[in-house]
Amino acid sequence: AQSVTQLGSHVSVSEGALVLLRCNYSSSVPPYLFWYVQYPNQGLQLLLKYTTGATLVKGINGFEAEFKKSETSFHLTKPSAHMSDAAEYFCAVSDLRGNTPLVFGKGTRLSVIA
Amino acid sequence: DSGVTQTPKHLITATGQRVTLRCSPRSGDLSVYWYQQSLDQGLQFLIQYYNGEERAKGNILERFSAQQFPDLHSELNLSSLELGDSALYFCASSEQMNTEAFFGQGTRLTVV
């Protein structure tokens, strides 16, 4: 079975500071990994994904994530936080063979302080 | 706009009642997923359909059922509703099995 652990249910950063949201996964097979963002009263929007190939993945809104197999991690970063980045962020895992639906972490709420 | 349409956006109903949530996937997407989002449980996978067939089941109660029709739209039926069923219900779709999923805006169900 696959699972995702997001460390920190709430992260607070100052505007302009580095954003780091942590995600560790468990999977017995090569994983597909995803980050989604949810703004208040909206659905989830795909930020970026890792399937195969380059381990550093760039997404929308200046976010990127690095797949580290040895650490079973897929942390999300952004060099400089904007107020508009305040939202809930979800890490998710599936498997390369497409046999399991996306399994989501519990989410991390990002607050950006002016 | 993800291209996934869910109706209704809001639903308020009484305990014991039955409701139907509807989802139209993105054009060309064959796979439909239903998720329940609540404050205490987070985002829970309920059920998945691919091209009309059930492919995976998650934490879906027996009081809940779903189907995907030949035109690929899907419905989630919730019956004998309880207060604890109050949640956001999301539909998502993907082109193939378990690739990136695109989410609708959700249906907020309130059971009173």
Side-chain angles (χ1 to χ4, degrees), chain A residues 1-17:
Chain A
Q2 296 176 305
S3 66
V4 171
T5 301
Q6 291 185 239
L7 297 175
S9 59
H10 186 205
V11 170
S12 186
V13 300
S14 299
E15 193 173 18

Side-chain angles (χ1 to χ4, degrees), chain B residues 6-11 88 105-109:
Chain B
Q6 287 187 249
T7 57
K9 285 187 170 50
H10 301 276
L11 201 48
L88 258 175
Q105 295 287 295
T107 294
R108 182 172 293 281
L109 173 66

Side-chain angles (χ1 to χ4, degrees), chain A residues 3-7 21-26 32-37 44 47-48 65 72-76 88-94 102-108, chain B residues 43:
Chain A
S3 66
V4 171
T5 301
Q6 291 185 239
L7 297 175
L21 304 182
R22 299 176 187 274
C23 171
N24 288 89
Y25 70 91
S26 172
Y32 276 159
L33 293 160
F34 307 85
W35 275 100
Y36 284 83
V37 61
L44 279 71
L47 268 180
L48 50 78
T72 60
S73 69
F74 190 57
H75 301 332
L76 182 71
E88 188 95 16
Y89 291 80
F90 293 91
C91 182
V93 63
S94 179
L102 271 65
V103 174
F104 285 85
K106 291 193 178 297
T108 297
Chain B
L43 203 61

Side-chain angles (χ1 to χ4, degrees), chain B residues 58-74:
Chain B
N59 300 321
I60 188 166
L61 300 172
E62 285 191 11
R63 300 184 284 109
F64 297 179
S65 64
Q67 54 184 326
Q68 187 180 27
F69 294 87
D71 67 353
L72 301 178
H73 91 271
S74 177

